[in-house]
Amino acid sequence: MTPVEDWSAALRQRRLPTFDPAAHDHLVVLAAHPDDETLGAGGCLRAAHRAGARVTLVVATDGEAAYPGLDSAGRGALAGARRAELHAALAEGGVQL
């Protein structure tokens, strides 16, 4: 694991550009699992959407494998619940898909 001090030093050496939501007409967000987009980029998604950007969200899984002991029906139900949670979280953040 990279120590916090190393990350902090690297950030001090580089000035990251300011994110201007109005400067983008299309934003593509890739997320491994449902809720990663909300936790990792929710603010950017909302700001860009409000500024008029088209948002494309790609989520690699439905989260159905989170509990390996589930049977097929259980995995299907979990996937459906995760999709519903994803849409609800985006709607709460002001992003409509």
Side-chain angles (χ1 to χ4, degrees), residues 26-92:
H26 187 191
L27 192 67
V28 178
V29 176
L30 306 173
H33 314 100
D35 84 4
D36 290 354
E37 80 298 327
T38 304
L39 297 171
C44 289
L45 284 170
R46 183 176 188 165
H49 182 70
R50 283 190 170 180
R54 184 169 54 115
V55 175
T56 300
L57 176 60
V58 179
V59 181
T61 75
D62 285 327
E64 70 278 1
Y67 299 99
L70 290 178
D71 61 12
S72 181
R75 283 192 304 279
L78 181 59
R82 293 292 189 251
R83 280 192 301 275
E85 291 168 356
L86 168 69
H87 287 275
L90 292 172
E92 182 69 27

